């Protein structure tokens, strides 16, 4: 069963910031929040991950709510190349045995970027 | 580095035929994975190999077999293809099973008629 909820689709204008939301109300204390994206006709690629604190890297920022029941992936300036499906995934960081260590991909959010 | 490579890129099979999808990584990763992606859906894990010499079932293993040939290579075999196995297949690797980042190949688009 999917443990995260994301909007099916979002639109953005080029060079504007994009905030992609993810709800995970049943998150456990050891669940890490991962974001992957999949460009058209390609395999997924890792974007960012976090546990409790906000995180920044060269691709994006991850803002995690204080109660950890939701998070937001922030693309600071969307480009046409950012048009992709974005997946928010929970993964148990305390146990990688069996199915608990698997990445479970839902349907994600399809981001369209307009020039 | 080529990263994760998969062959073939495209394949059409008739029902009942068999084939093997090949995957190789040049990043010296311990763990490798096979996923399938159906239209409009997210990826589903078929099998994984946490380390050389081990393989384990994922979410949808029925109809598939895998071989971890060596540290670099992880193959997926369809013994008797069915139309329900029409999908895009992705191979991935990670440094360890616990690593937060998996690296994905470009995919193999398989059609079973």
């Amino acid at each position: 069963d999917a443990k995260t909820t994301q909007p099916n689709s979002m639109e953005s204008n080029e060079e504007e910031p994009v905030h992609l939301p993810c709800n995970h109300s049943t998150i456990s204390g050891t669940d890490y929040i991962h974001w992957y994206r999949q460009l058209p006709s390609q395999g997924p690629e890792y974007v960012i991950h976090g546990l409790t604190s906000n995180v920044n890297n060269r691709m994006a920022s991850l803002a995690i709510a204080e109660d950890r029941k939701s998070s937001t992936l922030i693309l600071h300036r969307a480009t046409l190349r950012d048009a992709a499906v974005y997946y928010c995934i929970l993964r148990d960081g305390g146990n990688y045995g069996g199915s608990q260590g698997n990445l479970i991909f839902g349907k994600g959010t399809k981001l369209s970027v307009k020039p | 580095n080529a990263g994760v490579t998969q062959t073939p890129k495209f394949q059409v099979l008739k029902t009942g035929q068999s084939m093997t999808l090949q995957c190789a990584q040049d990043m010296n990763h311990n763990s490798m994975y096979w996923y399938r992606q159906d239209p409009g859906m997210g990826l589903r894990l078929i099998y994984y190999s946490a380390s050389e010499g081990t393989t384990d079932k994922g979410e949808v293993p029925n109809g598939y077999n895998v071989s971890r040939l060596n540290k670099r290579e992880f193959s997926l075999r369809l013994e008797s293809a069915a139309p329900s196995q029409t999908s895009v297949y992705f191979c991935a690797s990670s440094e360890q099973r616990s690593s937060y980042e998996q690296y994905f190949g470009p995919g193999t688009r398989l059609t079973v008629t």
Side-chain angles (χ1 to χ4, degrees), chain A residues 8 14 16-17 23 31 51 56 63 65-66 85-87 92 95 98 100 110 114:
Chain A
N8 289 334
E14 197 176 13
E16 289 186 356
N23 286 320
D31 279 341
L51 182 63
N56 300 297
E66 197 168 334
V85 177
Y86 287 79
Y87 298 99
D92 188 346
N95 183 358
Q100 288 171 296
K110 183 173 183 177
K114 295 184 287 185

Side-chain angles (χ1 to χ4, degrees), chain A residues 49-104:
Chain A
H49 79 288
L51 182 63
T52 57
S53 302
N54 294 345
V55 185
N56 300 297
N57 67 19
R58 63 175 180 81
M59 288 182 71
S61 295
L62 176 59
I64 301 172
E66 197 168 334
D67 64 5
R68 301 186 71 233
K69 293 186 176 182
S70 66
S71 60
T72 303
L73 180 71
I74 302 166
L75 307 179
H76 296 286
R77 287 187 67 193
T79 69
L80 297 178
R81 197 191 172 278
D82 291 322
V85 177
Y86 287 79
Y87 298 99
C88 171
I89 301 167
L90 299 185
R91 189 178 182 214
D92 188 346
N95 183 358
Y96 294 101
S99 62
Q100 288 171 296
N102 296 340
L103 290 176
I104 308 296

Side-chain angles (χ1 to χ4, degrees), chain A residues 34 36 38 41-46 49 87 91 96-107, chain B residues 33 35 37 40-43 45 48 57-59 90 97-106 109:
Chain A
H34 293 73
Y36 278 74
Q38 186 173 20
S41 299
Q42 294 190 27
E45 63 176 342
Y46 166 83
H49 79 288
Y87 298 99
R91 189 178 182 214
Y96 294 101
S99 62
Q100 288 171 296
N102 296 340
L103 290 176
I104 308 296
F105 288 81
K107 293 187 180 181
Chain B
Y33 312 82
Y35 293 86
Q37 185 173 33
M41 305 290 289
L43 282 72
L45 183 65
Y48 68 93
K57 295 179 181 179
E59 184 185 353
F90 290 99
R97 174 97 167 113
S98 57
S99 299
Y100 57 81
E101 184 171 1
Q102 291 185 14
Y103 296 80
F104 286 80
R109 187 173 295 274

